[in-house]
Amino acid sequence: MKVRILGSAAGGGVPQWNCLCPNCAAARAGTGEVQPRTQSSVAVSADGVSWFLLNVSPDIRQQIMAFPALAPQGAAPRATPISGCILTDAEIDHASGLLFLRESCPVSIPIHSTALVRRWLSEEFPLLPVVSSFSNRPWIEIRLDEARSLALPTGEPSGLRLRAFCVEPHVPKFVKNAAGPSATIGATIGLEIIDERAGGKLLYAPCAAGPSPELDRASQGAHAVLLDGTFWSDDEPRRMGFSERSARQMGHWPVSGDGGSLQWFAAIRAERRIYVHINNTNPMLGERSPERAEIARAGARVGRDGDEFEA
Ligand code: MLT
Ligand code: MN
Ligand code: ZN
């Protein structure tokens, strides 16, 4: 399967409009020391023709412009190679791009999410009803731990199979009524995507609060893993002065240190181990930083917009 990282940054992107952290300042200055990055989204395809978006960031328009495979083709007045949008959560950086794909097309583009994400995007942040008033966007439920072939809008098989698994839930700030653990099942998921013909396997977990048996299981046999690279250290949000919560409390597994995700990354077998959803404060964004060198030594990579590979 073909995989393209459309956007490798967490919410806010790099540089973030209102941020003066060293990375945002360097990206703004254009020295090349820190590459600008758009917000978190990936595209996957079995045949290089029909693509599924894994999360739809508010930068989706720019991401489509930067990737000719997502441009409309054919003789009809309107068309798109986008065959579905698959959401891992209801966060603004992962879902609000649906607003910018509201224009109608002869074929309807399904939106795949868990029932809980659908409810939050219908009631708490009513993006789905808003988008549906512009065009037909049928919803397809993602049920946890049920592998399902992904169909194209025409009903034909896409060649890809999806299985979603639970990661520790991460409740968006705009959700006011999520009480108790049972109220958050399906809030945040990881995705296993398998190429049904060629057998390639991708694991995508842009938000994961820590290691888990589900993540271990999903990593088995994976050719590529795209993992939460939001924060370098647990106290980074507090130290950088933008939140009183720790990385883990925000639902993000810090990269460094004992029990950090880099240790897990170094221990798994996947040929490609790439961080995505990277917050602008993360020092591993520095092209010549010691943190970047540490990532490389562990056999991992810091994802960049436009990275493409086969899984
Ligand atoms: C997150 O990943 O923690 C959220 O997307 C935060 C946000 O940008 O609102
Ligand atoms: Mn996010
Ligand atoms: Zn910043």
Side-chain angles (χ1 to χ4, degrees):
M1 112 188 62
K2 295 183 193 312
V3 182
R4 159 106 175 181
I5 299 179
L6 298 174
S8 53
V14 185
Q16 178 176 309
W17 69 284
N18 62 350
C19 188
L20 285 160
C21 78
N23 285 338
C24 285
R28 220 173 267 121
T31 58
E33 225 17 71
V34 172
Q35 295 290 329
R37 283 170 166 81
T38 62
Q39 296 167 84
S40 180
S41 178
V42 169
V44 293
S45 173
D47 59 7
V49 178
S50 301
W51 293 81
F52 289 83
L53 303 184
L54 311 182
N55 292 319
V56 191
S57 94
D59 300 320
I60 188 62
R61 184 176 179 280
Q62 179 185 345
Q63 293 167 345
I64 290 172
M65 299 299 157
F67 186 35
L70 293 182
Q73 271 140 41
R78 285 189 175 183
T80 179
I82 299 171
S83 300
C85 301
I86 303 173
L87 306 180
T88 62
D89 54 61
E91 295 283 354
I92 290 175
D93 55 349
H94 279 160
S96 66
L98 290 168
L99 288 168
F100 314 114
L101 299 182
R102 68 187 175 283
E103 292 83 3
S104 67
C105 259
V107 289
S108 46
I109 307 169
I111 296 168
H112 306 242
S113 81
T114 63
L116 181 63
V117 164
R118 184 195 198 199
R119 180 153 68 74
W120 285 347
L121 292 179
S122 302
E123 293 169 10
E124 306 280 344
F125 170 33
L127 166 89
L128 295 176
V130 169
V131 171
S132 293
S133 62
F134 288 86
S135 52
N136 186 17
R137 295 286 180 266
W139 175 69
I140 298 180
E141 181 175 1
I142 298 179
R143 292 168 183 275
L144 295 171
D145 298 312
E146 260 184 42
R148 166 168 65 80
S149 291
L150 290 170
L152 300 178
T154 56
E156 289 164 276
S158 70
L160 297 177
R161 188 164 79 237
L162 171 77
R163 185 184 73 90
F165 60 93
C166 231
V167 295
E168 198 172 313
H170 172 205
V171 178
K173 276 188 186 164
F174 58 77
V175 171
K176 300 294 176 227
N177 59 3
S182 64
T184 56
I185 293 170
T188 318
I189 56 175
L191 306 175
E192 217 181 74
I193 301 198
I194 292 177
D195 185 318
E196 294 183 312
R197 280 165 289 220
K201 176 171 166 181
L202 171 73
L203 162 56
Y204 176 59
C207 294
S212 67
E214 289 81 5
L215 206 56
D216 286 343
R217 176 182 163 205
S219 73
Q220 279 164 25
H223 298 88
V225 179
L226 299 177
L227 184 65
D228 185 333
T230 313
F231 298 116
W232 180 257
S233 49
D234 201 36
D235 67 348
E236 184 176 321
R238 213 173 297 136
R239 212 164 16 81
M240 299 303 285
F242 63 91
S243 176
E244 280 311 308
R245 292 185 300 165
S246 69
R248 285 187 174 87
Q249 284 167 345
M250 291 174 80
H252 299 296
W253 187 5
V255 171
S256 68
D258 230 18
S261 63
L262 192 58
Q263 284 182 347
W264 183 80
F265 243 176
I268 65 169
R269 287 240 164 86
E271 194 182 315
R272 291 177 203 277
R273 290 159 273 171
I274 306 175
Y275 282 112
V276 292
H277 192 277
I278 305 158
N279 197 59
N280 49 64
T281 51
N282 190 324
M284 73 185 185
L285 287 175
E287 297 288 329
R288 286 196 285 259
S289 62
E291 291 83 358
R292 176 67 64 89
E294 194 176 330
I295 299 282
R297 279 197 302 277
R301 275 177 49 86
V302 175
R304 266 161 81 141
D305 293 18
D307 279 349
E308 276 179 50
F309 57 87
E310 292 270 343

